[in-house]
Amino acid sequence: MTDTNKIVQLKDIDVTFDVDGKKIEAVKDISLDVNKGDVFGIIGYSGAGKSTLVRVINLLQRPTAGSVVVNGQDMLKLSSKELRQARKNIGMIFQHFNLMNSLTVYGNIDFPLRDSKLSKKERKEKVEHLLDLVGLTDRANNYPSQLSGGQKQRVGIARALANDPEILISDEATSALDPKTTTEILDLLGKLNEELGITVVIITHEMDAIKQVCNRVAVMENGQLIEEGSLLTIFGHPKEKLTKDFVDTSTQIKSALEEIESSGIVHDLSGRLIELQFTGDVTNEPIVVGLYKKFNVSASILFSNMERLQGTTVGIMLLALSGDDDKVAEAVKYLNDLKINVREINLSGSESAK
Ligand SMILES: Nc1ncnc2c1ncn2[C@@H]1O[C@H](COP(=O)(O)OP(=O)(O)OP(=O)(O)O)[C@@H](O)[C@H]1O
Ligand SMILES: [Mg+2]
């Protein structure tokens, strides 16, 4: 039952709310493991059940059914005193920071230590160390109202780390921030993961945030976990439509397709439009030249997006192919054999897998 590499084990979790006699199934039969050292992303639209699910990890939300094991401890069997202790191992940060406005930055970070066994001196050193860790040493005496959103979230992070948690849960912690500040906060979470070995669980509705720091991803829809995998698998080979939607938004292929459609360029080329998706070494192949040399099929690149994710290239490309029908079919097979995902795109809006 206890696997030491698995720091969070959720099994068959249901959460049902009763609102005015009406049942709301916020989480339906979700099983999910987070490994020690993961930066685990949970993505889904509003109302998917993300917050409810992560609140089950520290039992801020008790599940209607299922089991919750954190660090080998069955959370549902703990006494309230043991639970209070176990919760210290799980820090949380939120979209609206939840800082105490009447306390200074220092006071906010010190607050979770109010009943710790540290001496006065140790406690002061701890707060100063946390201030330094999040880059706010010179803001110690400011009040939250004197800080920018990014700085407030840094206070939130320092406060969440006060009890040396092994797990940090971020519930839309960057949703109220601008893109640059979002990147900085995500970088900070990545640094905490790398340097302190903290396992991070990030909830978001943006694939870009996931791409920046996560190594594993779960996709939620209507209370269910519909897809889960490594960042590269989810990004390079999404299976479910919703997953693909999230990926497509972040690669901007959607807007590219809309532009191509309205420009009429594919009709001018009298060709077939295909989408290629690939990960890793295949990108060293001279694909476009190969299609021409081997099959006499000419390929125009209409859109391409390549990114480095965890040291691996992940690419997506739209090609307009023209040539003899049977040669084009051979060319598509050749691409498939190179482990490139090929999808034919029919510009009337429907798409078909090849
Ligand atoms: N305490 C509660 N009482 C009743 N219904 C709730 C409660 N908490 C959540 N819900 C419902 O459960 C569903 C999932 O909500 P949840 O907040 O987990 O979604 P979410 O994915 O975090 O959404 P968002 O991205 O907007 O934060 C929603 O239909 C919500 O209204
Ligand atoms: Mg939420």
Side-chain angles (χ1 to χ4, degrees), residues 273-310:
L273 184 62
I274 60 168
E275 178 196 279
L276 308 184
Q277 252 188 340
F278 44 85
T279 42
D281 291 343
V282 67
T283 52
N284 297 331
E285 292 278 332
I287 294 168
V288 173
V289 176
L291 292 180
Y292 191 72
K293 280 200 181 151
K294 289 184 208 283
F295 310 103
N296 213 16
V297 166
S298 66
S300 314
I301 301 176
L302 303 184
F303 172 81
S304 135
N305 180 69
M306 311 265 252
E307 342 203 12
R308 295 287 287 171
L309 297 182
Q310 302 191 307

Coordinates of all heavy atoms in Angstrom, one line a residue, residues 273-310:
L273 N -4.0 19.7 -46.8 CA -3.4 20.3 -45.6 C -3.2 19.2 -44.5 O -4.2 18.5 -44.2 CB -4.3 21.4 -45.1 CG -3.8 22.2 -43.9 CD1 -2.5 22.9 -44.2 CD2 -4.9 23.2 -43.4
I274 N -2.0 19.0 -44.0 CA -1.8 18.1 -42.9 C -1.1 18.7 -41.7 O -0.4 19.7 -41.9 CB -0.9 16.8 -43.4 CG1 0.4 17.3 -43.9 CG2 -1.7 16.0 -44.4 CD1 1.4 16.1 -44.0
E275 N -1.4 18.2 -40.6 CA -0.7 18.6 -39.4 C 0.3 17.6 -38.9 O -0.1 16.4 -38.8 CB -1.8 18.9 -38.3 CG -1.2 19.3 -37.0 CD -2.2 19.1 -35.8 OE1 -3.1 20.0 -35.7 OE2 -2.1 18.1 -35.1
L276 N 1.5 18.0 -38.6 CA 2.5 17.0 -38.1 C 2.8 17.4 -36.7 O 2.9 18.5 -36.3 CB 3.8 17.2 -38.9 CG 3.8 17.1 -40.4 CD1 5.2 17.1 -40.9 CD2 3.1 15.8 -40.8
Q277 N 2.9 16.3 -35.9 CA 3.3 16.5 -34.5 C 4.4 15.6 -34.2 O 4.3 14.4 -34.5 CB 2.1 16.1 -33.6 CG 1.4 17.3 -33.0 CD 0.4 16.8 -32.0 OE1 0.0 15.7 -32.0 NE2 0.0 17.7 -31.1
F278 N 5.5 16.1 -33.6 CA 6.6 15.2 -33.3 C 7.4 15.6 -32.1 O 7.3 16.7 -31.6 CB 7.6 15.2 -34.5 CG 7.8 16.6 -35.1 CD1 8.8 17.4 -34.6 CD2 7.1 17.0 -36.2 CE1 9.1 18.6 -35.1 CE2 7.3 18.3 -36.7 CZ 8.3 19.1 -36.1
T279 N 8.1 14.6 -31.5 CA 8.9 14.9 -30.4 C 10.3 14.3 -30.6 O 10.4 13.2 -31.2 CB 8.4 14.3 -29.1 OG1 7.9 13.0 -29.4 CG2 7.2 15.0 -28.5
G280 N 11.3 14.9 -30.2 CA 12.6 14.3 -30.1 C 13.4 14.4 -31.5 O 13.2 15.3 -32.3
D281 N 14.2 13.4 -31.7 CA 15.2 13.4 -32.7 C 14.7 13.5 -34.1 O 15.4 13.9 -35.0 CB 16.1 12.1 -32.6 CG 17.0 12.2 -31.4 OD1 17.1 13.3 -30.8 OD2 17.5 11.1 -31.0
V282 N 13.5 13.1 -34.3 CA 12.9 13.1 -35.7 C 13.1 14.4 -36.3 O 13.2 14.5 -37.5 CB 11.5 12.6 -35.6 CG1 10.6 13.7 -34.9 CG2 10.9 12.4 -37.0
T283 N 13.2 15.5 -35.5 CA 13.3 16.8 -36.1 C 14.6 17.0 -36.8 O 14.8 18.0 -37.5 CB 13.2 17.9 -35.0 OG1 14.1 17.6 -33.9 CG2 11.8 17.9 -34.4
N284 N 15.6 16.1 -36.6 CA 16.8 16.2 -37.4 C 16.7 15.8 -38.9 O 17.5 16.0 -39.7 CB 17.9 15.4 -36.7 CG 18.2 15.9 -35.3 OD1 18.0 17.1 -35.1 ND2 18.7 15.1 -34.5
E285 N 15.6 15.1 -39.1 CA 15.3 14.6 -40.5 C 15.0 15.8 -41.4 O 14.1 16.6 -41.0 CB 14.2 13.6 -40.5 CG 14.4 12.3 -39.8 CD 15.2 11.3 -40.7 OE1 15.0 11.4 -41.9 OE2 15.9 10.5 -40.2
P286 N 15.5 15.8 -42.6 CA 15.1 16.9 -43.5 C 13.8 16.5 -44.2 O 13.7 16.0 -45.3 CB 16.3 16.9 -44.6 CG 16.9 15.6 -44.5 CD 16.6 15.0 -43.2
I287 N 12.7 16.7 -43.5 CA 11.4 16.2 -43.8 C 10.9 16.8 -45.2 O 10.5 16.0 -46.1 CB 10.4 16.5 -42.7 CG1 10.7 15.8 -41.5 CG2 9.0 16.1 -43.2 CD1 10.0 16.2 -40.3
V288 N 10.9 18.1 -45.3 CA 10.4 18.7 -46.5 C 11.1 18.3 -47.7 O 10.5 17.9 -48.7 CB 10.3 20.2 -46.3 CG1 9.9 20.9 -47.6 CG2 9.4 20.6 -45.1
V289 N 12.4 18.3 -47.6 CA 13.3 17.9 -48.8 C 13.0 16.4 -49.1 O 12.9 16.0 -50.3 CB 14.8 18.1 -48.5 CG1 15.6 17.6 -49.6 CG2 15.0 19.5 -48.2
G290 N 12.9 15.6 -48.0 CA 12.6 14.1 -48.2 C 11.4 13.9 -49.0 O 11.3 13.0 -49.9
L291 N 10.3 14.6 -48.7 CA 9.0 14.4 -49.4 C 9.2 14.7 -50.9 O 8.7 14.0 -51.7 CB 8.0 15.3 -48.8 CG 7.5 15.0 -47.4 CD1 6.5 16.0 -46.9 CD2 7.0 13.6 -47.2
Y292 N 9.9 15.7 -51.2 CA 10.1 16.0 -52.6 C 11.0 15.0 -53.3 O 10.6 14.4 -54.3 CB 10.7 17.4 -52.7 CG 10.6 17.9 -54.2 CD1 9.4 18.2 -54.7 CD2 11.8 17.9 -55.0 CE1 9.3 18.6 -56.0 CE2 11.7 18.3 -56.3 CZ 10.4 18.6 -56.8 OH 10.3 19.0 -58.1
K293 N 12.1 14.6 -52.7 CA 13.1 13.7 -53.3 C 12.5 12.3 -53.4 O 12.6 11.7 -54.5 CB 14.3 13.6 -52.4 CG 15.3 14.8 -52.7 CD 16.7 14.4 -52.2 CE 17.7 15.5 -52.4 NZ 18.7 15.4 -51.4
K294 N 11.8 11.9 -52.4 CA 11.3 10.5 -52.4 C 10.0 10.3 -53.2 O 9.8 9.3 -53.8 CB 11.1 10.0 -51.0 CG 12.4 9.7 -50.2 CD 12.1 9.2 -48.8 CE 13.1 9.5 -47.8 NZ 14.4 8.8 -47.8
F295 N 9.1 11.3 -53.1 CA 7.8 11.1 -53.6 C 7.4 12.2 -54.6 O 6.2 12.1 -55.1 CB 6.8 11.1 -52.5 CG 7.1 10.1 -51.4 CD1 7.7 10.6 -50.2 CD2 7.0 8.8 -51.5 CE1 8.1 9.8 -49.2 CE2 7.4 7.9 -50.5 CZ 7.9 8.4 -49.3
N296 N 8.3 13.1 -54.9 CA 7.9 14.2 -55.8 C 6.7 15.0 -55.3 O 5.9 15.4 -56.0 CB 7.7 13.7 -57.2 CG 8.1 14.7 -58.2 OD1 8.8 15.7 -57.9 ND2 7.6 14.6 -59.4
V297 N 6.6 15.0 -53.9 CA 5.5 15.8 -53.3 C 6.1 17.0 -52.8 O 7.1 17.0 -52.0 CB 4.9 14.9 -52.2 CG1 4.0 15.8 -51.3 CG2 4.1 13.7 -52.7
S298 N 5.5 18.2 -53.1 CA 6.1 19.4 -52.6 C 5.2 19.8 -51.4 O 4.0 19.6 -51.3 CB 6.1 20.5 -53.6 OG 4.8 20.8 -54.0
A299 N 6.0 20.3 -50.4 CA 5.4 20.6 -49.1 C 5.6 22.1 -48.8 O 6.8 22.5 -48.7 CB 5.9 19.7 -48.0
S300 N 4.6 22.9 -48.6 CA 4.8 24.2 -48.2 C 4.5 24.3 -46.7 O 3.5 23.8 -46.2 CB 3.8 25.2 -48.8 OG 3.7 24.9 -50.2
I301 N 5.4 24.9 -46.0 CA 5.2 25.0 -44.5 C 4.3 26.3 -44.3 O 4.8 27.4 -44.6 CB 6.6 25.2 -43.8 CG1 7.4 24.0 -44.0 CG2 6.3 25.4 -42.3 CD1 8.8 24.1 -43.4
L302 N 3.1 26.0 -43.7 CA 2.2 27.2 -43.5 C 2.3 27.7 -42.1 O 2.0 28.8 -41.8 CB 0.8 26.8 -43.8 CG 0.6 26.2 -45.2 CD1 -0.9 26.0 -45.4 CD2 1.0 27.3 -46.3
F303 N 2.8 26.8 -41.2 CA 2.9 27.2 -39.8 C 3.8 26.2 -39.1 O 3.8 25.0 -39.4 CB 1.5 27.1 -39.1 CG 1.6 27.3 -37.6 CD1 1.7 28.6 -37.1 CD2 1.6 26.2 -36.7 CE1 1.8 28.8 -35.7 CE2 1.7 26.4 -35.4 CZ 1.8 27.7 -34.8
S304 N 4.6 26.7 -38.2 CA 5.4 25.7 -37.4 C 5.7 26.3 -36.1 O 5.9 27.5 -35.9 CB 6.7 25.4 -38.2 OG 7.8 25.5 -37.4
N305 N 5.7 25.5 -35.1 CA 6.0 25.9 -33.7 C 6.9 24.8 -33.1 O 6.5 23.6 -33.0 CB 4.7 26.1 -32.9 CG 5.0 26.5 -31.5 OD1 5.4 27.6 -31.3 ND2 4.7 25.6 -30.5
M306 N 8.1 25.2 -32.7 CA 8.9 24.2 -32.0 C 9.3 24.7 -30.7 O 9.6 25.9 -30.5 CB 10.3 24.1 -32.8 CG 10.1 23.9 -34.3 SD 10.1 22.1 -34.6 CE 11.7 22.1 -35.4
E307 N 9.3 23.8 -29.7 CA 9.7 24.3 -28.3 C 10.5 23.2 -27.7 O 10.5 22.1 -28.0 CB 8.5 24.5 -27.4 CG 7.2 24.7 -28.1 CD 6.2 25.4 -27.2 OE1 6.6 26.0 -26.2 OE2 5.0 25.4 -27.5
R308 N 11.3 23.7 -26.7 CA 12.1 22.8 -25.9 C 11.3 22.5 -24.6 O 11.1 23.5 -23.9 CB 13.5 23.4 -25.6 CG 14.3 23.6 -26.8 CD 14.9 22.3 -27.4 NE 16.0 21.8 -26.5 CZ 16.5 20.6 -26.7 NH1 16.1 19.8 -27.7 NH2 17.5 20.1 -26.0
L309 N 10.9 21.3 -24.4 CA 10.3 20.9 -23.2 C 11.2 19.9 -22.5 O 11.4 18.8 -23.0 CB 8.9 20.3 -23.4 CG 7.9 21.2 -24.1 CD1 6.6 20.5 -24.2 CD2 7.7 22.5 -23.3
Q310 N 11.6 20.3 -21.3 CA 12.5 19.4 -20.5 C 13.6 18.8 -21.4 O 13.9 17.6 -21.4 CB 11.7 18.2 -19.9 CG 10.6 18.8 -19.1 CD 9.9 17.7 -18.3 OE1 9.5 16.7 -18.8 NE2 9.9 17.9 -17.0

